Amino acid sequence: MRLRYYEFINSEVSSGQKVGRLRLFEITHMKKDGSSMTSEAGEIIEKLKEKKAEYERLLRLIGLVLPRPNILDPAPSNTCLSGVKLKLKFRAEAADKEATAVAREAAAAAREAEASKKYDELQLQLQQMMQMFQQSQKPPS
């Protein structure tokens, strides 16, 4: 998995494109066949994609609502539009903060799932070792 991550980062850096959080999470939590490593990771990716779509819809809305500046009119007098701009800006910032929070929660949930999986594996190994020890302590019949 780390090799895929570094290959991705190197390809993104050489192409000059910015690496997005969602794409980075997908790369680090998806198998090569496109399926998610855990069900939690799959749910998190879906939530992040929904937030991204919502954010993109908001950006398109901003583009439709905000007027293009008129070169001949250096000081537009419509203060209502500035209020709309401000509200849309705050909503976009709030959506971005929420997406960041979801990404952080997703990363924490993925770490917790991985730790739980490792703990379960260690518990199983310990049980197997205890059984082997108990069998070695029995006198031969």
Side-chain angles (χ1 to χ4, degrees), residues 66-67 76-89:
L66 298 181
S77 60
N78 193 344
T79 56
C80 180
L81 285 177
S82 7
V84 170
K85 288 180 189 178
L86 194 58
K87 285 180 184 178
L88 290 174
K89 178 182 174 186

Side-chain angles (χ1 to χ4, degrees), residues 47-113:
K47 285 181 185 177
L48 288 173
K49 284 182 179 179
E50 289 171 7
K51 288 292 178 186
K52 181 180 179 187
E54 181 181 329
Y55 181 73
E56 288 172 350
R57 280 192 301 272
L58 185 60
L59 286 178
R60 279 195 300 273
L61 233 170
I62 290 171
L64 292 173
V65 171
L66 298 181
R68 305 223 188 277
N70 187 345
I71 297 172
L72 301 176
D73 185 14
S77 60
N78 193 344
T79 56
C80 180
L81 285 177
S82 7
V84 170
K85 288 180 189 178
L86 194 58
K87 285 180 184 178
L88 290 174
K89 178 182 174 186
F90 287 139
R91 286 183 184 165
E93 288 174 356
D96 189 40
K97 287 178 182 177
E98 188 174 348
T100 301
V102 168
R104 284 186 184 136
E105 289 175 19
R111 285 192 302 270
E112 186 177 326

Side-chain angles (χ1 to χ4, degrees), residues 1-21 23-25 27-28:
M1 181 169 78
R2 288 182 188 244
L3 182 59
R4 287 185 63 219
Y5 168 74
Y6 289 120
E7 288 172 358
F8 175 75
I9 293 297
N10 288 334
S11 69
E12 289 291 316
V13 169
S14 64
S15 69
Q17 294 177 341
K18 186 178 177 183
V19 179
R21 291 184 193 130
R23 184 68 183 131
L24 184 61
F25 189 83
I27 292 291
T28 55

